[in-house]
Amino acid sequence: MSATGHQKWWRDAVVYQIYVRSFADADGDGIGDLRGITTRIPYISSLGVDAVWLTPFFPSPQRDHGYDVADYVDVDPQYGTLADVDDLVAACHAHGLRLLADIVPNHCSSEHRWFRDALAAPPGSAARRRFFFRDGRGDDGELPPNNWPAAFGGSVWTRVADGQWYLATFTPWQPDFDWSDPAVVADFDDILRFWLDRGVDGFRVDAVTHVGKAPGLPDMPPLEDGVGEIAAAGHNSYGMYWPSAHNVWRHWRDTVDAFECEHPGREVVLVAEAYTARRPDLLMDYVRPDEFHEAFSFDLMLAPWHAPSIHRAIDDTIATLHANGAAVTWTLNNHDTQRIVTRLGRPEAEDPESWTGNALSTTGTDIDLAVGDRRARALTALAFAVPGSLYLYQGEELGLPEVFDIPDDRREDPVFHLTDGEGLGRDGCRIPLPWSTEAATSFGFSTPARDGSVGEPWLPQPVAWGDYAAADQAADDESMLAFYRRLSAARRLRRWPARSSPS
Ligand code: GLC
């Protein structure tokens, strides 16, 4: 509860995640944009949600679709302008919706000015201290400084022209920041303030478990047999969950708390993306009272269709977080995970042992989408009913399945390319949304350009994508969309005490 006696809005909010590139394209170039989102605010509002989270819309070479940020305080021209952000914030607030931005603190783009300056500066310079530049091993420094695997395949290390190496946990185009450098801390203070001053109501904070590394960057112990290339980074306890990161989050919380004090009526939320599979105790570290307000619990999303596992995922999370006074934050889908109707329609979905979590590399054989649809409805109803907040991902309210049939040369996710296809990647859950049955406008995704042209959508839509069109589902009581609207209406009915409105 706040000092004025009302419940903080985010504690039981339903938040709708928008993958900006795939939501709605207002200028006919085949790429979603901010103006497209603004035109669809009535639709979002009709879902009965409380807030919108936008995936990164900042200038970016788009090597990881915006999670490689080249400037944290501007907008990528593909997506619009700062004025478009202002319009979107205003439109959201006018509809009683809050707006969350997505901040990426672990790494920036290799095209960011800070990294370019670091490359141009000599070893040991202040510009290089923002990142992890190290000499290599071997007689001529020709071997990487340690054995850490990257999250999307290969080594974390990339060698630069003068012979040093830099560390990048995800792709070589995403160099990690060294948060022990005060310049990094100061710059992110400015970034948070910049967006808060523009009216943003909070931040989803990306990949927080990777922030902070063991001093000296020691070799990680050898992996157990059978750990695949993509899973390997998750086993590196020197590059994940390192305690020093919590100083950063406490500092961010101070920044946000100070902002709220200076701006009565503003209630800001910091929500952490912290993958801590089946370890609510680890998750709890991020939602201590002076750190993040919330951290996604992914355990329900990663649970098999197996009642004891689902039960355990809910009970363990609630027991651990509530005992410590922290809010619980559920989600069943996001832009990194195969879509729920597909996951739950798999023959192995009921087997507690064979479930592979977000199944990045699993293809689409023997999936029964009718079964997946029914199970998805049941699990979604449960997620709406349990205490806590709930984050939805665009398209789940349409029952969209994962799309597998994407030609290799149209796949964009670096996971696919860096693992030579061993990891299928995440494109299949990022297909541009079907709004109507009109194939000529990419099923309503694109508004034609001034000259009437409609660009090809950035990822190909299946020919039958119109079967999921939002417009048709809106008119059908049995549709997934109608089901979601009923769930959120029922949830709103039981809310007490009142929540504040965005200001
Ligand atoms: C997070 C994002 C994911 C991104 C990665 C690197 O996990 O959700 O999309 O690729 O971080 O920034």
Side-chain angles (χ1 to χ4, degrees), residues 64 67 107 152 170 174 204 206 273 335-336 426 430:
D64 188 17
Y67 287 95
H107 46 264
F152 294 166
F170 288 90
Q174 293 161 296
R204 177 265 192 188
D206 184 68
E273 186 217 17
H335 65 292
D336 295 326
R426 302 159 293 178
R430 301 173 176 181

Side-chain angles (χ1 to χ4, degrees), residues 72 103-108 112 114-115 118 126-132 175-192 211-212 248-249 251-252 255:
Y72 286 85
I103 291 290
V104 187
N106 181 65
H107 46 264
C108 59
H112 197 292
W114 296 330
F115 191 71
R128 286 206 175 179
R129 279 199 293 277
R130 279 178 179 280
F131 300 93
F132 292 97
D176 285 28
F177 289 113
D178 183 346
W179 275 88
S180 65
D181 180 11
V184 175
V185 179
D187 281 322
F188 272 86
D189 287 350
D190 293 345
I191 293 163
L192 295 180
V211 171
V248 176
W249 314 133
H251 179 73
W252 280 31
T255 305

